[in-house]
Amino acid sequence: MLFRQFFDAESSTYTYLIASGTGREAIIIDPVKDMVPHYLKAISDLELKLVRAIDTHTHADHVTGLGDLRESTGCSTLMGEFTQAECVSEHVREGDLLDVDGIKLRAVYTPGHTNESFSFVLNPEQPQAVFTGDVLLIRGTGRTDFQAGDAGKSWDSIVDKLFKLPDDTLVYPAHDYKGWTASSIGEEKRHNPRLANTTRAQYIELMNGLVLSNPKLMDIAIPANLACGRLPAGRNKPGLAAV
């Protein structure tokens, strides 16, 4: 399997490019608009054909690369069934299986950070990894205070769904702010300070008590991401086209 992890330093976003090998069809997860030329260079160098670009949820801290990748490669864009982004080509539901040239991803509905967040399990018959978006981070969890987030649903998604995966399943989140690149389900069960030795009620109290500033690009990113990376008319950010 070919696997590449990219990092956008401005938004601390991880993007994942996966294919069964050089010269094969590929999937990309949580691409950042400003990084699209970098992804396209990697895709070209590895002689890949990008066929699906996935967002785990509507991001609030960066503008998605979905639209630009679709325009550049002809790939299909994909999000979960509850997204309000009408621009995407496909929607997945709980349990749907994506198969791209032998790379299999199972869609898992994991609300909490937002009400439309999905995670994706790699090789679901014998799970190798899970791409968790922002619901489960490394030694942390995604905030639950906007975009219809819900601390109780966050707990349920993590504990009742993601933590049911084998302990050696690798965890690849959409963001990291402390220098981690990967974790595992077992590590997060034991060492995640928001989840280990904690009750559901304690977790809800903790998350609801957080006082966090809004992501600096939220007012721009959310409407742009609902349009697959295009800004509504009258909104300006360097490098972004208005529609």
Side-chain angles (χ1 to χ4, degrees), residues 124-180:
E125 294 182 0
Q126 294 181 308
Q128 294 175 259
V130 57
F131 301 93
T132 58
D134 286 5
V135 66
L136 176 62
L137 305 177
I138 300 173
R139 308 298 192 268
T141 58
R143 60 192 295 172
T144 58
D145 58 333
F146 60 80
Q147 289 202 87
D150 183 284
K153 290 180 180 179
S154 172
W155 173 273
D156 296 341
S157 292
I158 296 167
V159 174
D160 296 339
K161 291 187 175 183
L162 299 181
F163 279 4
K164 301 301 184 184
L165 294 167
D167 280 1
D168 61 356
T169 306
L170 294 173
V171 172
Y172 289 111
H175 295 284
D176 185 79
Y177 307 96
K178 298 179 180 179
W180 299 95

Side-chain angles (χ1 to χ4, degrees), residues 30 54-60 78-84 92-95 106-120 131-136 142-144 146-150 153-154 157-158 161-162 174-175:
D30 286 328
I54 299 170
D55 264 352
T56 54
H57 64 288
T58 303
H59 293 275
L78 182 149
M79 292 184 73
E81 63 175 319
F82 302 112
T83 181
Q84 296 183 41
V92 290
R93 297 180 177 181
E94 170 82 19
R106 177 77 69 190
V108 182
Y109 179 46
T110 50
H113 173 62
T114 72
N115 64 347
E116 34 86 84
S117 297
F118 269 75
S119 298
F120 294 87
F131 301 93
T132 58
D134 286 5
V135 66
L136 176 62
R143 60 192 295 172
T144 58
F146 60 80
Q147 289 202 87
D150 183 284
K153 290 180 180 179
S154 172
S157 292
I158 296 167
K161 291 187 175 183
L162 299 181
H175 295 284

